Structure formats: structure tokens, C-alpha cells
Amino acid sequence: MQVNCFSTFVRRGTEQAMVLQSLTGTTLHGLQSDGAQYVVPATLEVDDIDPATIEVTHFYGLDEVRYEGAWHIALGLAVKWPYLWLHSLRMRNTLAQRWFNLWPLRVGDRLDVLRDVVKASEDGTHGVGALELMSNRHGNRWVDHPAWREYQRRLDAQLRLLADAGDLTTNDYFTYQPTGQGVRTLDERHDASRKHGANWWVQVALGVIALAAAVFTAAQTGFLKLPTVLDLQGKKDEQVEKPAANQNAPLPAAAAKASVPAPVLSPSTSPAAPSASSARRASAPSASGAR
């Protein structure tokens, strides 16, 4: 059965608000508050009501829709937009609840339970039980989970074990509080986890360094060929090839004429160089005259 009812208030200046109950002719009958609850009978004429002072609360299932003023009431009831919004929210919650019910409720180890108890105690909760832990973990969705009773039983068992070990204290085995030993246990576990994480990162860094050294060693020995990232030797070869190509390039016409060597005359064609036979004929008379 779903709740579906209205509650109407009328505010009259500085006086207490009046809850309307019935209408007789033009007279409204209702109750006023005495400071604690609405028990004081009161009447009000319809003509004396200011439409802006009317407040209506619609209790629609587990939700509430509040209207302030007659025009707001008429618009909300005519358009129905608050109820469309409520139905969309309910559909979303239904889908989220069904998805939540598909997964099992995990208690975790005793350190997880101890951590939750310590956190609740730090938030100001005096005494924590299994139901409080369930609400802190999952809100109110655990109420509709099909295995919530088994989940509560396992949580109670973990809490009892922690109390027997001295990490928690209890008087009735329904509410628990952390002890100094429990806080030290959490601190020691936190330090151990931190050191383990630091050692893990050191091992990862050493592994990366060893892998890089192995790759470079294999590349140097020729066992592994790596793609060339920066080829300095190729740039040197290009610089050497460019001058050689410039030397083999054809010269311009003027440069070619200037670079042609002068013709070299052979001894047989040179006019300044006499032959050996003519030299002997010229020296023969001089020799005979001398005799």
C-alpha cells in the first residue's frame, strides 16, 4: 500500500500556522500548534485567506512534494511535472538497486573491519555494530539485498574475533569501540604496506634498467638490430660526396677557355732551337781555318 495524502497549512501573519481539517460553508476548521504539536482548535473564514500563504504538502509514497501559494499548487497539479521527475528518480533507483543486488556483499578481512570501526569512531560514532558498518559501507541499499542477513552474521563474527584479540572492546557484543592495540595494529600494517610499495617500485626500476642494458648489449654485438634514430656517419658521407660531385660538374664557357693550357711546341718545330747537323756544319769551317 502506497501513501498518498495531502496536508494543507495556512499562515496568518505572525500567528502560528493552521492545519486545515474541514470546511463548513465559508468557514475553515483546523488546528494550531501549541509549540509542540497541533492540538489547539481554530477557525478561519475563506475570505480572509491570502492565496500566497497557502502551503500544501503531498506525501507521495516515501517522497514529499511541497507547494507554496495557490498558483504554484494549480500549476503543479495541472502539469504534473514534479511527479514525472519523481518517477524518473524512482526508476533510476530501481535499476541501481537491481545492479547492486547482482553482486555479493564482501566482508573483507579483519583489518578492513577494524579500519571501518576506527573510521566510524573518529567521525564521532560512540559504539559501532554490524548494522552501522553495513550502512556506512553501502548506504541503505543493503536492506533490499537478498543476502544481507548472511552478510550481517559474518560481520558479527569478525567483530567478535577482533574483540577477543583485544583490538576492539565491547560490553554487549552488539556495539564495539577500538582500543589502543587496534590503532597500533592499523599503524603497523600501514607502515608495512608503505614499505612494500616502495620496494615494489624499486624492483620495477631495476627490472627496467636491466632490460635496457640487455637490449643495448644485444644491439652492440649485432644480435639485435635497432632502427637508426640519429645517423651521424651518414651525414659525414654526404659532406664528403658533395665536394667530389662539385669537381665533376661541367664548367662554364668562359671558365673553360681560361682553363685551356697553352700549346707546347716540340723540339722539331721550334724555330729557336737549331738542329744538330747544322751546328756541325757551322763549326766545320772554323775548325779548318784554325788549322
Side-chain angles (χ1 to χ4, degrees):
M1 183 178 178
Q2 185 177 1
V3 177
N4 187 12
C5 59
F6 293 86
S7 177
T8 305
F9 293 83
V10 176
R11 299 188 179 277
R12 298 184 297 178
T14 59
E15 299 182 8
Q16 293 288 342
M18 176 179 174
V19 180
L20 302 182
Q21 290 181 316
S22 62
L23 175 64
T24 303
T26 60
T27 303
L28 293 170
H29 302 273
L31 298 174
Q32 282 186 333
S33 175
D34 61 352
Q37 54 186 350
Y38 290 90
V39 293
V40 180
T43 59
L44 180 65
E45 293 296 326
V46 174
D47 296 335
D48 297 336
I49 297 178
D50 184 3
T53 61
I54 301 176
E55 298 180 4
V56 175
T57 303
H58 185 191
F59 298 95
Y60 189 63
L62 298 178
D63 301 308
E64 295 182 7
V65 181
R66 296 181 181 273
Y67 301 99
E68 295 182 1
W71 294 109
H72 192 196
I73 298 171
L75 181 63
L77 295 178
V79 180
K80 303 290 185 183
W81 65 266
Y83 305 98
L84 295 176
W85 175 251
L86 285 177
H87 281 292
S88 64
L89 292 180
R90 290 179 180 180
M91 184 176 295
R92 187 194 65 177
N93 292 333
T94 300
L95 294 177
Q97 185 66 48
R98 290 182 179 179
W99 176 258
F100 178 77
N101 293 343
L102 293 176
W103 304 98
L105 298 175
R106 300 187 180 277
V107 177
D109 56 14
R110 280 180 291 177
L111 284 176
D112 293 334
V113 178
L114 178 60
R115 188 178 296 108
D116 291 342
V117 174
V118 172
K119 183 179 179 181
S121 179
E122 291 176 351
D123 293 339
T125 303
H126 183 72
V128 181
L131 297 179
E132 287 80 7
L133 290 181
M134 294 164 66
S135 298
N136 292 339
R137 288 183 174 185
H138 311 290
N140 58 356
R141 296 196 184 280
W142 63 267
V143 178
D144 293 329
H145 196 279
W148 72 269
R149 295 186 183 275
E150 177 64 19
Y151 184 53
Q152 180 187 5
R153 185 190 65 80
R154 287 182 294 163
L155 269 178
D156 281 328
Q158 293 283 12
L159 291 172
R160 287 176 180 269
L161 290 175
L162 289 171
D164 294 339
D167 294 327
L168 297 178
T169 180
T170 181
N171 296 324
D172 52 6
Y173 285 99
F174 287 104
T175 57
Y176 299 84
Q177 290 182 348
T179 62
Q181 177 181 336
V183 176
R184 286 193 301 270
T185 301
L186 287 179
D187 292 339
E188 293 173 358
R189 180 59 182 271
H190 176 72
D191 293 338
S193 299
R194 181 179 55 81
K195 292 179 181 179
H196 175 72
N199 293 334
W200 186 84
W201 282 111
V202 170
Q203 295 296 327
V204 170
L206 292 177
V208 171
I209 294 173
L211 179 60
V215 170
F216 284 115
T217 302
Q220 290 178 355
T221 57
F223 180 75
L224 180 64
K225 292 184 178 181
L226 296 177
T228 302
V229 179
L230 184 61
D231 190 3
L232 298 177
Q233 185 63 31
K235 292 184 178 181
K236 291 181 180 179
D237 295 341
E238 291 179 359
Q239 294 176 359
V240 172
E241 289 176 357
K242 285 182 179 179
N246 294 333
Q247 292 178 0
N248 296 331
L251 296 174
K257 291 180 180 180
S259 63
V260 173
V264 179
L265 299 177
S266 62
S268 59
T269 60
S270 176
S275 61
S277 59
S278 62
R280 285 195 301 268
R281 285 196 302 269
S283 61
S286 61
S288 61
R291 283 195 299 267

